Amino acid sequence: MPSDISRRELLKYLGVGLATSARGFSGVPRAPLVRFTDVARTAGLSFVHDDAASVEKYLIETMGSGCGWIDYDQNGLPDIYLANGAATRLYTPRRPLRSALYKNNGDGSFSDVTERAGVGAEGLFGMGVAVGDYDNDGFPDLFVLGYGRCILYHNNGDGTFSDVTSKAGVGNVGKWGSSAAWFDYDNDGKLDLVIANYVDWSPENNFYCGGKGPGLRSYCHPDVYHGQPPTLYHNNGDGTFTDASDSSGLGQKPGNGLGVVTFDYDDDGWQDIFIANDSMPNFLFRNNRDGTFREVAYSAGVAVGIDGQFEAGMGTDAADTTGSGRLDLVVTHLDQQLSRLYRNLGEGVFEDATYRSKLSYATFHMSGFGARFMDYDNDGQRDLFMANGHVLDNIQLYHAETRYAEPKLMFRNAGAGILENVSDQLGPDFLQPRVSRGAAICDFDNDGDLDILVSNNGQPPQLLRNDGGNSNHWLQLLLIGTRSNRDAVGARVKVTAGDLVLYEQRKGGMSYQSAQDPRLHFGLGHRSLVDQIEIKWPSGELTKLANLKADQILAIEEGKGLVQRPFPRVPARKA
């Protein structure tokens, strides 16, 4: 390991400098021993994704389906939802396909409750999953995206859901919905919905792509088709939504949207929208605070990479990687490209920090989909996880060194946003090659370290339990809005623990086609006491709490402060 002097010189050379101790990035401790163990099978997740693969190479076959976390019965134990494919003109499965809801039993196992809950989404070629309490009744609702239409399931609060798509007016009919985000773009206290739509593919225009020899036919590149503009639904507050796509300006921008994250990149108190576009420039829609948005990706520096070439944008997330208080962006891409890290410089501008962060080389031979910033070792810095898998099942016929199934990647933040590839240190289950697509992060066992749910295309999912991350201290916050939307999407949080200062936002969307744990997670390293928590709610209200013990999950209600909520700890179960 280099000395302090050589480290300082290296960072100076890289142009980043050493952060001050007030930001918590100097003297970063060595990572604790962490292993990720795949417990999906032993936990009872019998689900197997069906991609409806056919000789005609329908484009929908290769994009996968997402996954998500939803505490549907509000008992403090996060439950799992897995989207699935469906029959097509060319593919008839042996038994009807459906998506699945698995209840967290609180003992390390899950039970399939899909039929009773009524959320199977039968007949829908499922893509993404988005979770949000759109009617502020205290029970999270479920939005399932798919090819040609979407489904909104209203949570009835009794373990069942009702399909209210038609009544609500959010069917997204005729479009290929990929990822979605629940967020409150006008700060009226009600969750709105933005959908990243993909291309105008259909069985009727399924062109032949690839070579003419045996086995050489491939899935077509998205530029063979026209892109579709995003959809924006405004929440009317009476169980219905109004399509505000055109009036907001989003509907004027066709794209090849795959991943979406909503966050306040310019710190003006209003949520903005970033969409990762496949093989075209990305979108950054700046909130004009009047119900409209302005697309500013080029001027903000996040439309393309530093070389000016657009890439195959798929997964995305935002987090503060340097301690600046500003949220940076990551976008994953196909192999032979680089996953990009855009550092937020303030004043509405980002820089491509892919090389400076050391992210670049390790991603060049991988095709990244699901991506999340997460502090997997609780050292107080945002690390980066990527779920990978190629889109061509016959890629080796074209690139002998490239594989269809690929291992995961984890980059540990070593300080000042320098990302070290530690994937080979996290155990054999983490490195198992899969055709991965969606990724959702959650502390499903409430033990203080973050676990990873991954949906795999045409394969069983993986539930990677974090073993060892909680040897460092931690804190989790469940925010409950009152004047603001109940999910508190748009809230900005500052946590101070001694010399460590952490910033986070309650974001919408994230990753690829997946729904994340709504609780905010903060790794604290060796610090066992939190000096202060400061929450700026979307309504403008400010909450401050002081002198709190680490290693607990807190529920904080707008206008009240701490409130009692159960978060039962789940005992470890052998894999």
Side-chain angles (χ1 to χ4, degrees):
M1 177 175 289
S3 67
D4 288 342
I5 294 176
S6 63
R7 172 177 163 76
R8 201 175 282 272
E9 290 174 346
L10 172 63
L11 292 173
K12 182 177 180 182
Y13 172 76
L14 292 170
V16 295
L18 282 173
T20 66
S21 60
R23 296 302 186 192
F25 288 130
S26 61
V28 178
R30 182 180 295 275
L33 181 63
V34 176
R35 293 289 183 268
F36 283 93
T37 305
D38 186 2
V39 297
R41 183 181 59 82
T42 56
L45 299 183
S46 58
F47 179 89
V48 179
H49 179 262
D50 195 323
D51 57 2
S54 71
V55 296
E56 291 298 314
K57 302 285 186 179
Y58 280 0
L59 192 57
I60 52 174
E61 300 168 7
T62 194
M63 302 311 293
S65 302
C67 55
W69 295 99
I70 174 172
D71 184 3
Y72 77 97
D73 49 4
Q74 289 294 280
N75 65 352
L77 295 167
D79 311 298
I80 289 174
Y81 190 81
L82 297 160
N84 206 354
T88 68
R89 294 182 181 182
L90 301 176
Y91 175 73
T92 302
R94 286 178 295 179
R95 62 187 63 176
L97 300 180
R98 68 176 190 184
S99 299
L101 176 65
Y102 284 89
K103 176 181 172 59
N104 187 334
N105 297 322
D107 61 0
S109 71
F110 291 79
S111 297
D112 188 336
V113 296
T114 311
E115 186 172 354
R116 178 180 186 275
V119 291
E122 293 86 352
L124 176 71
F125 205 104
M127 293 288 163
V129 179
V131 174
D133 184 2
Y134 75 88
D135 56 356
N136 292 331
D137 67 351
F139 289 92
D141 308 299
L142 177 65
F143 189 69
V144 186
L145 298 95
Y147 170 73
R149 63 186 178 95
C150 298
I151 299 174
L152 176 59
Y153 289 111
H154 175 261
N155 191 332
N156 298 322
D158 60 0
T160 69
F161 291 74
S162 297
D163 183 343
V164 296
T165 312
S166 179
K167 174 187 174 184
V170 292
N172 203 40
V173 176
K175 295 182 180 179
W176 178 345
S178 177
S179 299
W182 291 101
F183 76 131
D184 184 2
Y185 74 87
D186 53 358
N187 284 343
D188 67 350
K190 301 182 291 291
L191 286 180
D192 310 301
L193 182 65
V194 61
I195 300 173
N197 294 310
Y198 198 40
V199 297
D200 68 346
W201 174 89
S202 71
E204 291 78 18
N205 66 357
N206 187 59
F207 305 118
Y208 189 104
C209 297
K212 295 295 184 180
L216 292 179
R217 182 169 185 176
S218 295
Y219 295 101
C220 288
H221 193 276
D223 64 10
V224 173
Y225 304 98
H226 296 294
Q228 296 181 326
T231 302
L232 180 65
Y233 289 113
H234 177 262
N235 191 334
N236 299 323
D238 59 0
T240 69
F241 292 75
T242 297
D243 189 336
S245 306
D246 290 336
S247 61
S248 67
L250 269 66
Q252 310 303 318
K253 289 285 184 178
N256 302 338
L258 287 179
V260 60
V261 59
T262 65
F263 69 115
D264 181 8
Y265 81 93
D266 52 2
D267 200 34
D268 67 352
W270 297 73
Q271 287 254 295
D272 310 295
I273 305 167
F274 178 81
I275 294 178
N277 280 320
D278 187 0
S279 302
M280 65 172 288
N282 302 313
F283 291 152
L284 177 60
F285 292 101
R286 185 179 186 274
N287 195 325
N288 293 328
R289 298 177 285 182
D290 61 1
T292 69
F293 293 81
R294 182 165 61 95
E295 205 288 295
V296 297
Y298 267 110
S299 60
V302 295
V304 296
I306 195 171
D307 58 3
Q309 302 297 312
F310 51 78
E311 295 165 304
M314 293 182 286
T316 186
D317 193 13
D320 177 13
T321 65
T322 63
S324 68
R326 299 181 294 269
L327 269 59
D328 312 309
L329 272 168
V330 68
V331 185
T332 58
H333 299 115
L334 283 178
D335 69 314
Q336 312 301 308
Q337 301 173 357
L338 303 176
S339 291
R340 297 284 173 183
L341 180 67
Y342 297 102
R343 185 154 295 151
N344 191 333
L345 303 178
E347 305 296 328
V349 176
F350 295 76
E351 68 169 355
D352 186 341
T354 304
Y355 293 99
R356 182 179 298 176
S357 68
K358 302 298 182 181
L359 176 64
S360 55
Y361 179 74
T363 67
F364 184 75
H365 295 290
M366 299 285 186
S367 295
F369 279 84
R372 278 300 317 276
F373 288 108
M374 58 179 291
D375 188 353
Y376 80 93
D377 55 1
N378 283 335
D379 68 350
Q381 302 182 68
R382 301 293 179 185
D383 313 304
L384 177 59
F385 169 78
M386 293 182 185
N388 308 296
H390 210 277
V391 295
L392 303 183
D393 53 1
N394 58 356
I395 184 59
Q396 284 189 270
L397 297 177
Y398 293 92
H399 298 147
E401 71 283 1
T402 305
R403 299 292 185 268
Y404 184 42
E406 298 174 336
K408 317 288 184 288
L409 287 172
M410 182 73 81
F411 297 91
R412 181 176 185 255
N413 191 334
I418 303 301
L419 300 173
E420 299 177 345
N421 184 1
V422 297
S423 309
D424 60 358
Q425 301 174 24
L426 302 179
D429 287 357
F430 190 85
L431 293 175
Q432 285 297 315
R434 294 289 187 272
V435 187
S436 297
R437 296 295 185 254
I441 307 302
C442 176
D443 180 10
F444 81 88
D445 47 9
N446 292 334
D447 68 348
D449 48 31
L450 292 174
D451 313 297
I452 306 171
L453 175 66
V454 180
S455 58
N456 298 310
N457 194 39
Q459 300 172 333
Q462 292 163 285
L463 179 55
L464 298 169
R465 186 186 65 203
N466 187 327
D467 296 325
N470 57 9
S471 61
N472 274 328
H473 294 293
W474 54 275
L475 183 74
Q476 291 182 29
L477 305 179
L478 175 67
L479 304 184
I480 305 169
T482 52
R483 290 176 56 203
S484 306
N485 65 86
R486 189 175 178 87
D487 287 358
V489 178
R492 292 168 288 169
V493 180
K494 178 182 178 182
V495 171
T496 304
D499 62 339
L500 181 67
V501 180
L502 299 172
Y503 300 89
E504 182 60 290
Q505 294 183 20
R506 178 67 170 88
K507 301 168 292 186
M510 298 170 277
S511 189
Y512 172 80
Q513 297 187 163
S514 299
Q516 312 300 318
D517 187 342
R519 299 173 295 186
L520 301 181
H521 182 97
F522 300 88
L524 301 175
H526 64 274
R527 304 159 189 88
S528 59
L529 180 68
V530 175
D531 298 302
Q532 182 171 272
I533 300 171
E534 182 178 304
I535 304 166
K536 295 181 180 178
W537 301 87
S539 66
E541 186 164 331
L542 181 65
T543 297
K544 289 185 179 182
L545 301 171
N547 299 320
L548 298 162
K549 290 182 179 180
D551 304 328
Q552 57 179 326
I553 306 173
L554 301 177
I556 304 174
E557 185 171 321
E558 184 180 13
K560 286 187 179 180
L562 293 174
V563 294
Q564 289 295 317
R565 291 288 294 269
F567 300 104
R569 182 158 180 170
V570 177
R573 188 184 183 100
K574 284 189 177 182

